[in-house]
Amino acid sequence: MLGLGLGRFGSVWWLLAFLPVVAGELAYGVYVHHLSTGGSMRRGLALLVCGQLGFLLGALMRPMRGET
């Protein structure tokens, strides 16, 4: 949902907002679920890819310049 909202209403530079979200999720996974390094990296990569795909979907939902 974050990626979709940023893609629809934000710019490409707002993609940096994913980094603290992914870092927080990785820290949570390590300390609460005791994930290994490999598991954490796979989870972090999956989160980044899903966020970027949501951003691209949101960018496709922007109105075209000639439309009102």
Side-chain angles (χ1 to χ4, degrees):
M1 293 305 293
L2 177 66
L4 189 65
L6 288 177
R8 173 72 169 94
F9 302 109
S11 68
V12 173
W13 292 106
W14 286 23
L15 279 173
L16 296 174
F18 290 125
L19 295 178
V21 171
V22 171
E25 184 68 28
L26 288 179
Y28 176 78
V30 168
Y31 291 114
V32 174
H33 298 294
H34 306 291
L35 289 178
S36 65
T37 305
S40 295
M41 289 305 186
R42 284 191 300 269
R43 187 174 184 161
L45 183 63
L47 285 169
L48 283 174
V49 168
C50 289
Q52 290 174 355
L53 289 175
F55 183 88
L56 291 174
L57 180 62
L60 287 173
M61 293 174 51
R62 289 182 185 168
M64 298 182 74
R65 292 181 188 218
E67 295 180 6
T68 55

